[in-house]
């Protein structure tokens, strides 16, 4: 918010470069930033964390920070797809829903993510809010194949890593088992599962789903290729 208030996207680039340099010096190659959400309602859960409310303005800041991070060989991660700033509810505490229409999302929130992707972001984190205007139901976005595969992958032509927000947050852990959540997220199109409530249960659930044929090995291999592309950037050829 403070950087957005400066009116100069160079400040976002400088922040990305400084953070990226510090992280790279410590051996890290990923930062879960920048926030690409729009704080576009009063009392937005993203107030203070978002660059602002206007899609065109925020897009410039997001793209600039992505470039600052990536130039330090630190992968940027746009969050929280498809944009959770129109919510006043916190998914750390329970379910939250977005009442934005598909037209509003496409004109505003998704435009910001597109700008970040075009700037070189290789990872997108998906939020736990529901967005019935986009998904057609009240399930958390990490479980929507239509949103993640049809819209983000196919329509927006994104082939980077899709990662969930933390799965131990109440919006997920209070309503879904760790194995159930992990399986549903992978089937929707997620490549990485962040912080399952019970790692062993989630891990074994995925293994069993593959063994049962509910998740194909090819689907797992697709995710691995995307992850390795970042993890070993510059070290191996595809």
């Amino acid at each position: 918010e403070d950087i957005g208030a400066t009116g100069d996207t160079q400040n976002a680039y400088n922040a990305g470069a400084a953070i990226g340099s510090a992280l790279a010096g410590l051996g890290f190659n990923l930062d879960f930033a920048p926030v690409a959400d729009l704080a576009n309602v009063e009392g937005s859960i993203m107030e203070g964390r978002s660059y602002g409310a206007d899609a065109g303005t925020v897009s410039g800041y997001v793209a600039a920070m992505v470039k600052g991070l990536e130039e330090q060989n630190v992968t940027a991660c746009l969050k929280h797809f498809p944009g959770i700033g129109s919510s006043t509810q916190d998914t750390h505490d329970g379910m939250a829903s977005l009442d934005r229409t598909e037209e509003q999302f496409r004109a505003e929130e998704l435009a910001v993510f597109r700008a970040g992707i075009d700037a070189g972001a290789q990872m997108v984190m998906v939020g736990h809010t529901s967005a019935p205007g986009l998904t057609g139901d009240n399930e958390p976005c990490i479980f929507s194949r239509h949103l993640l595969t049809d819209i983000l992958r196919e329509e927006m032509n994104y082939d980077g890593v899709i990662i969930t927000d933390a799965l131990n947050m109440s919006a997920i852990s209070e309503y879904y088992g760790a194995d159930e959540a992990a399986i549903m997220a992978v089937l929707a199109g997620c490549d990485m599962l962040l912080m399952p409530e019970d790692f062993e249960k989630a891990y074994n659930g995925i293994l069993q789903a593959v063994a049962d044929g509910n998740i194909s090995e090819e689907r797992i291999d697709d995710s691995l290729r995307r992850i390795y592309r970042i993890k070993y950037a510059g070290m191996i050829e595809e």
Side-chain angles (χ1 to χ4, degrees):
E1 181 183 46
D2 290 342
I3 291 175
T6 67
D8 187 353
T9 58
Q10 182 67 33
N11 290 318
Y13 171 85
N14 293 344
I19 292 169
S21 177
L23 289 175
L26 295 170
F28 292 99
N29 65 352
L30 167 66
D31 185 12
F32 285 150
V35 165
D37 300 298
L38 297 172
N40 51 6
V41 297
E42 186 174 351
S44 168
I45 192 62
M46 299 311 293
E47 280 185 1
R49 297 183 64 190
S50 167
Y51 288 113
D54 176 72
T57 302
V58 171
S59 291
Y61 287 98
V62 168
M65 184 164 185
V66 166
K67 290 176 181 176
L69 286 168
E70 295 284 349
E71 286 180 10
Q72 299 298 319
N73 296 315
V74 173
T75 296
C77 177
L78 306 172
K79 61 185 185 183
H80 307 76
F81 192 80
I84 66 173
S86 63
S87 175
T88 59
Q89 303 161 290
D90 191 341
T91 51
H92 287 86
D93 302 325
M95 285 281 195
S97 183
L98 306 168
D99 62 5
R100 307 278 281 169
T101 66
E102 180 175 0
E103 291 74 20
Q104 287 174 317
F105 270 114
R106 289 184 179 279
E108 299 182 48
E109 283 90 343
L110 297 193
V112 180
F113 281 89
R114 163 54 65 196
I117 291 168
D118 289 346
Q122 301 176 68
M123 188 176 287
V124 170
M125 179 182 288
V126 185
H128 295 325
T129 51
S130 64
L134 277 176
T135 66
D137 59 38
N138 288 309
E139 291 271 39
C141 288
I142 60 168
F143 301 143
S144 173
R145 181 173 176 81
H146 176 62
L147 176 63
L148 303 188
T149 299
D150 296 345
I151 294 178
L152 182 56
R153 286 252 183 262
E154 301 298 333
E155 185 181 321
M156 297 177 70
N157 199 31
Y158 174 70
D159 193 36
V161 170
I162 298 175
I163 186 170
T164 69
D165 204 347
L167 294 171
N168 62 0
M169 290 162 60
S170 294
I172 303 301
S173 63
E174 286 188 11
Y175 305 95
Y176 305 90
D179 49 353
E180 179 188 20
I183 292 166
M184 291 170 66
V186 169
L187 287 173
C190 293
D191 299 303
M192 297 182 73
L193 308 172
L194 178 63
M195 297 168 64
E197 183 185 28
D198 182 329
F199 176 83
E200 188 172 353
K201 186 176 182 182
Y203 175 83
N204 288 322
I206 294 292
L207 284 182
Q208 191 61 51
V210 173
D212 293 342
N214 294 330
I215 298 175
S216 69
E217 285 194 40
E218 182 181 16
R219 170 67 190 84
I220 300 297
D221 289 344
D222 282 344
S223 290
L224 288 175
R225 275 189 287 271
R226 296 186 189 104
I227 295 165
Y228 288 162
R229 190 183 304 147
I230 297 173
K231 190 176 180 67
Y232 300 110
M235 298 171 59
I236 58 174
E237 295 182 7
E238 286 192 51

